[in-house]
Amino acid sequence: MIRLLIVDDEEIITEGLFEVLKQLNLGLDLYKAYAGEEALDLMNRTRVDIVLSDIRMPGMDGLELMNNIRSHWPHCKIIFLTGYNDFDYIYQAIQASGVSYLLKSEGYGKIIKAVTDAMNELENSLRFHNLIKQSREKLTTLETLAQGNYFRYLLQGARAEEELEVDFRKLGIALDSSLPVLVVLGDLQRTNLSHSFADSQEAALAVKFLAETFLTERTDSLGIIDRYGDLVWLIQPGSGLRIDPGEAYVRTVRYLEGQFELLQQACMESLGITFAITLCAEPCEWKQLSMAYERIRNQQHRRAGDGAQMIQTVYMESVETAIPSRSLREKEETLAIHLEGGSREGFLHLLRELTETAFVEGRGGGPFVLELYYTIALLLLSYINRWELHDKVEATGLMQRELHASWQDSFDYLKRVAESLFDLRLSGERSRAAAAIEKVRSYIDEHLGEDLSLVRLANVIHFNPSYLSRLFKQETGINLSEYIDEARIEKAKELLKQDEMKIAEVGVRVGYETPHSFTRFFKKSIGFTPLEYREGLRK
């Protein structure tokens, strides 16, 4: 969803524009600020796509705000509202790309057209077929595979900085071996992909190549495909970001949250691929890479809901200690991928193929079948141990094949255990989704008089705003904004029963600073003004 921020120090203009654009239902996620500093604070916390701003404001004026926007979100479109005497300001503004201006006297019609034009430009920029072609020319598939193999080599243990520097240079890795790195895991939703290995690799490469166009402007990055077919990005702040190193990583994390959200949208529209992102909010040293990677993968498994289009930010101190890496035979690695990715259909399809092949090769028994049984049993047992499911899955027969009457019974038992694991995973995702939404509801009920913007609520549970909005509607059946409005109305009704409380005070308690805004909101919701409602109660 495209995010639009309205900035003007005159409240009547800000509120008027907000209401007009809201009523048009353009599909915008709307925000407002009454000063440049307030707008900048919002953009430090989330991506903004279009800014509609007064060019002359006390404190930070429009031009200073524009420069700050360019350093945070280079792709953001800016529309300035100006007076007749602002020619010098206008001249400076129009030198920058992505900036337009309107006279305040031109009315809402021109403003709406400027906003829809900016939306069209943004949507067109997400059609990236040409960018995919350009990215493919920059980085060959052979180089990608070589770098992926090197990543698996790095996960085996710590390497000296001098060794890393030499390897990076030879493999064309544009990262600094002396600086820490941010780790990002992208989990492709394999239910949308073919069972073919070639198709899965092609999809992962397409996403990786497309990501280059989003990340190269502000970061140095390496994207590789791990052993499970998922994408991993190793990222450092770009060398042009000349600020304190600690602040550079903080800004880069915020930048990545916004850029990966755009990447998800582009991949959905251009490639028909959805994927979840787990982003480590803290940089790790190269010697800690293996631990960071395992912890992020562990945390992604514990996501709420199906994870489609999710961006989850992980703080290392809040994540349980990772279980050591899995050790499975090469020919069963695809089973591990399906189990890890939650692809029930893919797992059972491959299990059936392996079982049929085993009975043909082993004629109903023999070493080959025994090897296959215990390899799959060990995979399932490893999964049960890592996710501590011993009390939920009956697994006593996994490593005791002799408990089963026949080989057919043995593999039927493995199938039942696998199906139980997929059922538990699905119910776990649903229960975590319900818990997350309940936490948001409780926060709303306890903070009705405060900022309840989508960005603020997303920060409460560390999800990106778009995913929270979709998950809330999915779990409750209503939009998040509708729930907030209903909660505020019910609280206002309750407070209006107390005669000693002034109507303006009631408005403040439910998040409306001005009596006019509260009255308009209340009447639009129930058909009466607050005063009429109170008088009705008295009668």
Side-chain angles (χ1 to χ4, degrees):
M1 182 179 288
I2 292 177
R3 295 184 190 137
L4 183 145
L5 172 62
I6 302 167
V7 189
D8 200 303
D9 60 302
E10 295 184 46
E11 181 180 343
I12 189 171
I13 294 178
T14 305
E15 296 290 342
L17 288 170
F18 186 92
E19 289 297 326
V20 168
L21 292 172
K22 183 178 180 181
Q23 291 172 11
L24 289 173
N25 293 321
L26 297 175
L28 289 166
D29 193 5
L30 295 171
Y31 298 88
K32 51 191 173 182
Y34 304 100
E37 293 82 356
E38 185 182 351
L40 193 58
D41 180 65
L42 176 69
M43 287 185 287
N44 281 332
R45 291 184 281 126
T46 189
R47 187 193 86 244
V48 174
D49 304 301
I50 303 173
V51 172
L52 181 59
S53 173
D54 187 9
I55 202 166
R56 279 186 183 269
M57 294 182 290
M60 181 185 293
D61 65 14
L63 293 180
E64 187 177 352
L65 177 62
M66 177 184 73
N67 293 331
N68 279 289
I69 291 172
R70 283 288 173 261
S71 67
H72 284 78
W73 306 110
H75 302 292
C76 180
K77 305 294 182 183
I78 303 171
I79 304 169
F80 280 128
L81 299 177
T82 71
Y84 283 106
N85 299 321
D86 293 331
F87 179 80
D88 291 338
Y89 278 78
I90 295 169
Y91 183 78
Q92 294 180 59
I94 62 177
Q95 305 306 307
S97 61
V99 178
S100 58
Y101 72 95
L102 294 168
L103 292 173
K104 289 184 177 180
S105 59
E106 291 187 271
Y108 286 132
K110 287 290 185 69
I111 293 173
I112 292 168
K113 184 179 185 306
V115 169
T116 54
D117 287 346
M119 292 176 64
N120 290 332
E121 289 179 25
L122 287 168
E123 289 169 354
N124 288 335
S125 69
L126 292 176
R127 298 183 178 94
F128 285 110
H129 293 296
N130 290 333
L131 292 177
I132 294 174
K133 182 179 178 181
Q134 294 170 12
S135 297
R136 287 182 185 274
E137 294 172 353
K138 292 181 181 178
L139 193 61
T140 65
T141 301
L142 182 61
E143 185 176 342
T144 300
L145 294 176
Q147 292 172 347
N149 289 333
Y150 183 66
F151 172 73
R152 290 187 278 275
Y153 167 73
L154 287 180
L155 292 181
Q156 295 173 9
R159 309 294 170 188
E161 182 180 324
E162 297 77 14
E163 179 185 348
L164 291 176
E165 184 178 359
V166 173
D167 289 341
F168 287 4
R169 185 173 64 252
K170 289 183 176 180
L171 291 171
I173 297 173
L175 296 173
D176 190 331
S177 60
S178 66
L179 296 177
V181 66
L182 294 166
V183 185
V184 182
L185 177 63
D187 177 18
L188 273 66
Q189 307 298 298
R190 292 183 179 82
T191 54
N192 299 338
L193 303 178
S194 165
H195 297 310
S196 163
F197 172 81
D199 288 345
S200 297
Q201 288 286 297
E202 183 179 0
L205 285 169
V207 175
K208 171 193 154 41
F209 291 143
L210 187 54
E212 296 292 320
T213 64
F214 287 86
L215 302 178
T216 53
E217 185 169 346
R218 287 274 305 277
T219 68
D220 298 322
S221 65
L222 170 66
I224 58 356
I225 302 172
D226 68 9
R227 68 193 299 249
Y228 300 102
D230 290 328
L231 283 158
V232 179
W233 287 273
L234 307 178
I235 300 172
Q236 294 172 336
S239 55
L241 204 58
R242 302 184 184 282
I243 57 176
D244 173 76
E247 178 64 21
Y249 280 96
V250 171
R251 286 196 187 183
T252 299
V253 168
R254 293 289 170 260
Y255 175 75
L256 292 175
E257 288 174 342
Q259 293 302 94
F260 275 113
E261 199 165 29
L262 289 174
L263 176 61
Q264 286 175 330
Q265 185 178 348
C267 287
M268 186 61 195
E269 294 181 3
S270 300
L271 306 172
I273 296 173
T274 62
F275 60 94
I277 286 291
T278 303
L279 165 64
C280 181
E282 304 155 311
C284 72
E285 300 296 333
W286 287 99
K287 62 183 179 182
Q288 301 171 319
L289 180 61
S290 178
M291 180 182 67
Y293 168 73
E294 289 292 337
R295 285 188 173 184
I296 289 174
R297 177 167 284 284
N298 190 54
Q299 187 67 10
Q300 188 169 82
H301 173 85
R302 300 177 183 275
R303 65 195 177 208
D306 61 9
Q309 304 297 84
M310 179 188 77
I311 298 177
Q312 180 179 205
T313 305
V314 175
Y315 293 85
M316 282 304 173
E317 67 271 14
S318 66
V319 179
E320 297 92 345
T321 302
I323 307 300
S325 297
R326 286 66 83 189
S327 175
L328 302 171
R329 294 181 178 275
E330 268 189 11
K331 63 183 179 181
E332 276 73 40
E333 193 166 311
T334 306
L335 276 177
I337 293 172
H338 289 312
L339 188 59
E340 192 78 21
S343 176
R344 178 196 295 257
E345 181 183 348
F347 185 96
L348 296 179
H349 176 78
L350 182 54
L351 177 62
R352 183 170 61 252
E353 284 187 355
L354 287 171
T355 304
E356 292 172 353
T357 302
F359 286 153
V360 171
E361 295 288 338
R363 301 184 183 279
F368 182 83
V369 181
L370 187 65
E371 176 190 2
L372 178 63
Y373 173 86
Y374 278 111
T375 300
I376 298 172
L378 186 60
L379 166 63
L380 297 173
L381 183 61
S382 173
Y383 194 93
I384 291 169
N385 288 339
R386 284 187 294 112
W387 306 118
E388 300 177 358
L389 301 174
H390 313 90
D391 58 336
K392 299 177 181 178
V393 178
E394 175 52 52
T396 54
L398 281 176
M399 305 311 292
Q400 299 180 58
R401 215 292 303 172
E402 64 276 6
L403 295 179
H404 308 296
S406 67
W407 282 109
Q408 186 63 54
D409 290 343
S410 299
F411 283 96
D412 286 344
Y413 172 75
L414 293 181
K415 179 184 176 183
R416 290 196 300 274
V417 172
E419 288 179 327
S420 297
L421 292 176
F422 285 114
D423 289 340
L424 285 170
R425 180 188 181 110
L426 181 60
S427 65
E429 291 173 350
R430 288 172 176 168
S431 63
R432 285 189 289 273
I437 296 308
E438 185 56 36
K439 184 175 181 180
V440 171
R441 280 174 158 171
S442 298
Y443 185 90
I444 290 170
D445 294 339
E446 295 168 7
H447 300 82
L448 284 174
E450 301 175 20
D451 171 25
L452 292 179
S453 66
L454 189 56
V455 170
R456 176 72 174 272
L457 295 175
N459 286 337
V460 171
I461 53 175
H462 307 300
F463 290 168
N464 61 306
S466 299
Y467 184 72
L468 171 59
S469 177
R470 186 175 74 88
L471 185 65
F472 193 96
K473 178 67 178 290
Q474 180 179 298
E475 290 294 311
T476 66
I478 64 172
N479 292 324
L480 182 55
S481 59
E482 294 173 4
Y483 179 86
I484 295 170
D485 286 347
E486 290 177 7
R488 282 175 163 160
I489 283 294
E490 293 304 313
K491 185 66 175 179
K493 288 179 179 178
E494 177 185 333
L495 295 175
L496 286 169
K497 295 176 182 178
Q498 305 173 23
D499 287 338
E500 68 274 14
M501 184 174 288
K502 295 179 180 179
I503 289 177
E505 293 174 343
V506 173
V508 171
R509 290 280 293 274
V510 295
Y512 288 86
E513 294 294 331
T514 64
H516 174 69
S517 297
F518 174 54
T519 298
R520 182 172 55 192
F521 161 73
F522 195 92
K523 185 172 183 179
K524 182 179 178 181
S525 299
I526 69 168
F528 300 98
T529 67
L531 180 59
E532 290 169 344
Y533 181 83
R534 173 171 278 177
E535 289 176 349
L537 291 175
R538 289 170 179 164
K539 294 177 182 179

